[in-house]
Amino acid sequence: MSAFGAAAAAEWVKVRSVRSTAVTLTVFAVVALGMGWLIGSTMEPGADLDDPLTAAFMGLLVAQLLLVTFAVACVGSEYATGTIKASLAAVPSRGRLYAAKMSAVGATVALVVLPVELAVFAIVQGLAGDAAVSWTEWATIESLLGGWISLMLLCVFAAAITVVTRSTVWTLAILLPVLFLSGQGLGNVDAIRPVVQYFPDQVGHVIMHMTIPGDPRFGRDYGAWTGVAILVLWTAAALAGGWLAMRRRDA
Amino acid sequence: MIEVRNLTKRYRGGTAVDDLSFTVEPGRVTGFLGPNGAGKSTTIRLILGLDRPTSGDATVNGRPYASLPRPLTAVGALLEAGDLHPSRSVREHLRWLARSNGIGERRIGEVLEATGMTEAGRKRARALSLGMKQRLGVAAALLGDPGVLILDEPVNGLDPEGVVWIRNLMKRLAAEGRTVLVSSHLMAEMALTAEHLVVIGRGRLLADVPMEAFLASHRGASLEEAFMRLTSESVEFRAGGSR
């Protein structure tokens, strides 16, 4: 096995061998499915939430807090417990260790989110009746695909930030209010929207059908895939920051 | 073999390791001795590439640790035994270490047996006593069957039976031709284990001598007295010299 493959295999053992992984990811699935069902069953034809994709992603966006918690804990626990020393002794190439850890977090999130996302959407579709949309229409596929990518990127972003802060608590204290408040509409406040709409948790909203470009209240100045591209940039910046911290600091 | 050459580590608050040079030869237990805060742990962290030296360097088998392709198969280290994820089991802890260096699954069972931890394999780290954590740390160090072992204060928290066990283990590993560096702040413990001594105080080398020569040069004094005399002189000299 390649050196990177070995390091990634080790990271995968770390991820699956702690109880918090199973707990946070199970609660994520339960919250996403439950919220999807709740929101889907209150949908009314012609109302704001007549798009099943919007309803499905509202549930997923509430549940994403648990995904972010998982991603942050994967990194933060290494520093809190001191296992980072053993990790660096086992994989002294810091770039390799960092790449392996980010890959393990991203891959785990991607593997968990895809079936949950499809299941939430299936539930909402079932409740939508006449408002159900075609599964095979590009708009549907595009949204599900983009939402999946966005949730995965946001988790890698959070994990990379944690490499800089080296603390689960501090990272969550910064990220969770941002994620909560934006969900409650901070991104839609006119005075700050021109800036806040570019925040990492906001840029996925177009492709997740939470808003449409041009909407006077919730609109964004960019399109669906441009939003995903902006999130790619955020993630790349966080990864670069994490790499600098990883490379420079003593363990 | 471990070679430390002119190793220096300065932090913002002061100097932890100060122009330190010594060599640890294979085939014998080398005691790495000094009072608490002397710089033993920092030196070990520098050897393992966990910290970057301000100047100087350290090599293992002629190479910097970070350039070893599968480091756990060359060097086994026991640092803080408590550095474990509380909800990860003993076996899973060893498993991730093994995977990271391409070490086979069979070896996990072997090191568990060698450290008397077979029964505890499914226990989560939070359920382990300090003594069991030390044994797990030794198991992790032995995982890659390395030629070089670095043990930082391995007898901490061990019961008398455990102390005897680790003493014999270190002697056996050295007799097999391995390089064994073991740090301690307890002179009496070293006297029973080490054949060679590297003594440091305030980050500086105070002595690099065979145990017998050290004992001979301090005839009449007990080991603890000789050690105290050696290190307290260094402390006073340093305190006087730096002001």
Side-chain angles (χ1 to χ4, degrees):
Chain A
M1 202 192 292
S2 74
F4 173 78
E11 290 303 319
W12 169 239
V13 174
K14 284 186 204 169
V15 166
R16 65 165 175 68
S17 63
V18 298
R19 195 173 275 171
S20 61
T21 297
V23 172
T24 48
L25 296 182
T26 303
V27 176
F28 160 74
V30 169
V31 170
L33 294 167
M35 289 297 293
W37 179 79
L38 208 65
I39 296 164
S41 54
T42 56
M43 267 195 314
E44 282 174 43
D48 272 358
L49 299 176
D50 59 353
D51 180 355
L53 283 162
T54 308
F57 278 118
M58 283 183 90
L60 284 163
L61 286 179
V62 173
Q64 76 174 348
L65 301 175
L66 289 143
L67 283 183
V68 168
T69 303
F70 158 75
V72 169
C74 280
V75 176
S77 67
E78 286 254 20
Y79 293 98
T81 61
T83 52
I84 186 68
K85 284 173 244 165
S87 295
L88 280 169
V91 183
S93 161
R94 296 188 177 203
R96 188 181 302 148
L97 179 65
Y98 182 55
K101 189 166 265 321
M102 294 300 116
S103 304
V105 171
T108 306
V109 169
L111 278 174
V112 169
V113 168
L114 190 60
V116 172
E117 184 193 50
L118 293 175
V120 174
F121 184 56
I123 288 172
V124 177
Q125 283 275 73
L127 294 164
D130 290 346
V133 296
S134 165
W135 276 85
T136 51
E137 209 177 298
W138 173 241
T140 306
I141 296 168
E142 178 185 48
S143 184
L144 291 172
L145 187 66
W148 178 52
I149 293 170
S150 295
L151 288 172
M152 194 263 288
L153 287 175
L154 193 66
C155 288
V156 174
F157 169 84
I161 294 288
T162 315
V163 175
V164 180
T165 64
R166 297 183 165 201
S167 158
T168 303
V169 173
W170 277 109
T171 315
L172 290 178
I174 296 162
L175 287 182
L176 287 191
V178 171
L179 294 170
F180 257 122
L181 287 172
S182 67
Q184 304 302 317
L186 196 67
N188 304 317
V189 176
D190 281 338
I192 56 172
R193 191 177 61 192
V195 177
V196 174
Q197 65 172 341
Y198 293 106
F199 278 19
D201 63 304
Q202 294 285 305
V203 290
H205 283 190
V206 180
I207 208 151
M208 295 186 199
H209 285 217
M210 301 306 292
T211 175
I212 46 168
D215 183 292
R217 276 184 61 212
F218 306 111
R220 296 285 187 266
D221 300 333
Y222 48 80
W225 287 105
T226 312
V228 175
I230 297 168
L231 186 52
V232 170
L233 293 179
W234 274 110
T235 309
L239 284 171
W243 166 234
L244 283 179
M246 190 89 184
R247 201 183 52 162
R248 282 195 189 156
R249 290 195 211 150
D250 290 337
Chain B
M1 182 147 94
I2 304 168
E3 288 171 284
V4 171
R5 278 181 299 261
N6 305 109
L7 200 61
T8 299
K9 178 67 176 179
R10 287 194 197 93
Y11 294 105
R12 242 167 282 171
T15 304
V17 177
D18 194 356
D19 198 27
L20 192 60
S21 299
F22 62 88
T23 301
V24 186
E25 303 282 350
R28 66 190 188 196
V29 176
T30 299
F32 191 29
L33 209 62
N36 284 328
K40 302 186 297 291
S41 292
T42 305
T43 303
I44 289 173
R45 290 164 58 89
L46 289 166
I47 293 170
L48 297 173
L50 296 175
D51 290 2
R52 310 275 152 98
T54 308
S55 62
D57 63 82
T59 57
V60 181
N61 302 333
R63 302 177 65 163
Y65 183 89
S67 76
L68 298 167
R70 290 161 69 216
L72 299 188
T73 62
V75 185
L78 167 68
L79 302 174
E80 283 284 323
D83 286 349
L84 298 164
H85 194 297
S87 80
R88 189 174 286 135
S89 76
V90 165
R91 195 170 264 278
E92 294 284 13
H93 177 71
L94 294 172
R95 185 169 284 137
W96 76 255
L97 283 166
R99 291 281 158 84
S100 71
N101 276 242
I103 297 162
E105 188 75 15
R106 238 189 63 210
R107 186 67 191 149
I108 296 171
E110 289 174 10
V111 294
L112 283 174
E113 201 180 326
T115 52
M117 289 287 283
T118 306
E119 302 287 302
R122 297 174 71 87
K123 276 196 178 178
R124 292 178 191 271
R126 73 159 60 88
L128 301 177
S129 65
L130 183 54
M132 287 169 100
K133 287 178 183 171
Q134 289 284 19
R135 282 172 185 265
L136 174 55
V138 173
L142 295 175
L143 199 56
D145 197 16
V148 176
L149 283 135
I150 300 175
L151 309 172
D152 196 7
E153 304 273 0
V155 300
N156 270 4
L158 288 180
D159 54 21
E161 186 199 0
V163 172
V164 173
W165 168 73
I166 204 150
R167 205 181 281 155
N168 292 334
L169 177 73
M170 288 189 287
K171 285 179 178 169
R172 197 170 71 235
L173 292 167
E176 289 168 4
R178 298 178 213 253
T179 304
V180 181
L181 179 67
V182 51
S183 84
S184 179
H185 61 283
L186 302 171
M187 182 67 209
E189 178 54 38
M190 283 296 96
L192 292 167
T193 320
E195 294 153 75
H196 195 86
L197 276 183
V198 172
V199 187
I200 67 170
R202 295 239 170 162
R204 284 182 158 255
L205 187 70
L206 301 178
D208 181 356
V209 288
M211 179 63 85
E212 283 184 13
F214 183 80
L215 297 182
S217 66
H218 291 89
R219 248 180 323 183
S222 78
L223 277 173
E224 294 291 352
E225 279 167 5
F227 173 56
M228 296 270 281
R229 201 181 299 156
L230 187 62
T231 53
S232 70
E233 275 165 11
S234 109
V235 170
E236 276 164 18
F237 168 72
R238 295 272 302 151
S242 65
R243 260 155 227 173

